[in-house]
Amino acid sequence: MSNEKTDIEQISIVNGPVPSLKPVPPTSTIANPAPAGIFAFAGTTFLLSMLNVNTRGIQTPNVVVGMSLFAGGLLQFVAGMWEYPRGNVFGATCFSSFGTFWMSYATILIPGSGIISAYTNPKELDNALGLYLIVWMMLTKYSSFSILFGTLALAFGLLAGGLFTGVAKFTKAGGVVGIIVALVAYYIGANDLLAGDAQPLFRLPQENRQVWHLSLNQKASTSKSPVAARSGFGVPQIHGKA
């Protein structure tokens, strides 16, 4: 057997153990999906909140179904999936979770789903929808370290209170708070969009930015049910043509 040592063995003797080489994870080339997700959330929230306060006398919120499915639902969910390969667990969790919220809400409003028509007692429907909102309030409250999620949790609570008590003022108050949530989200989305531009036309103030939010870049037939005609968030008013 030869007593000659290989180059690696000689280096180990002279300089100590050779450190193991760990593969360097590839840098993500996926563009920042946060502005798209935030704008989708803001737009859908703003529209539904305007309907909750009966803007221009609108009592039927069915127009929000399409936006809930594709903007608040699909686009937000896809934005969450794009956040995963970027290593942003917080953004991925928020966007994908609220994407499923909007898709599930739209499904409740679609007459063909049979969800609302399954309830023959109006109070039972209100209680069921109230519990639905409480679940999302709990999920949102978990992230209430920011003004955005804190006000969103408050909006969920007020809307659930309107369902449990039947007091319309709670629902309208929830709509007003929802409008505030949407405006805050619009600001955050515009801020992140402009921050990604090398030469933006203008910049938005960013002082105490984390007080407002934790940066996402850092971490057709009608139902025959007597309760089908409802109004407001979680109090869907399903109107179709026979």
Side-chain angles (χ1 to χ4, degrees):
M1 180 182 296
S2 174
N3 291 328
E4 295 181 359
K5 298 182 180 296
T6 64
D7 292 341
I8 293 294
E9 290 173 328
Q10 292 174 359
I11 293 173
S12 299
I13 293 173
V14 175
N15 299 326
V18 177
S20 59
L21 299 178
K22 296 182 179 180
V24 178
T27 303
S28 174
T29 57
I30 299 176
N32 180 17
I38 294 174
F39 279 133
F41 168 80
T44 312
T45 302
F46 183 79
L47 176 60
L48 184 55
S49 297
M50 293 291 281
L51 296 175
N52 280 334
V53 297
N54 305 126
T55 303
R56 298 190 65 83
I58 299 174
Q59 301 290 332
T60 308
N62 296 55
V63 70
V64 81
V65 172
M67 197 160 183
S68 297
L69 283 173
F70 295 101
L74 180 61
L75 180 53
Q76 262 201 105
F77 184 80
V78 172
M81 295 301 100
W82 283 332
E83 289 284 14
Y84 276 116
R86 289 170 55 87
N88 187 354
V89 178
F90 178 81
T93 303
C94 289
F95 285 138
S96 59
S97 296
F98 282 102
T100 59
F101 162 74
W102 283 114
M103 286 187 281
S104 66
Y105 175 69
T107 302
I108 293 174
L109 289 177
I110 296 174
S113 69
I115 295 176
I116 290 180
S117 61
Y119 295 89
T120 57
N121 185 332
K123 187 59 180 177
E124 183 184 10
L125 174 62
D126 287 345
N127 287 334
L129 292 171
L131 291 175
Y132 170 81
L133 293 175
I134 289 295
V135 169
W136 286 100
M137 184 190 74
M138 292 170 62
L139 175 63
T140 307
K141 187 62 178 176
Y142 180 75
S143 301
S144 63
F145 47 76
S146 70
I147 291 179
L148 177 63
F149 287 109
T151 51
L152 181 57
L154 176 60
F156 278 131
L158 289 170
L159 294 168
L163 287 165
F164 287 140
T165 64
V167 178
K169 289 183 179 180
F170 281 125
T171 301
K172 287 198 173 185
V176 172
V177 175
I179 292 173
I180 296 174
V181 171
L183 294 177
V184 172
Y186 272 128
Y187 183 92
I188 294 172
N191 191 27
D192 284 350
L193 187 63
L194 292 171
D197 194 340
Q199 294 181 333
L201 295 176
F202 60 91
R203 297 280 187 185
L204 293 175
Q206 301 186 56
E207 289 79 3
N208 299 322
R209 190 173 181 226
Q210 289 187 347
V211 173
W212 292 86
H213 75 309
L214 178 62
S215 175
L216 295 176
N217 298 322
Q218 296 174 2
K219 311 237 194 193
S221 61
T222 184
S223 168
K224 296 181 180 180
S225 168
V227 295
R230 317 290 291 166
S231 63
F233 183 99
V235 201
Q237 184 175 9
I238 305 301
H239 287 301
K241 295 183 179 179

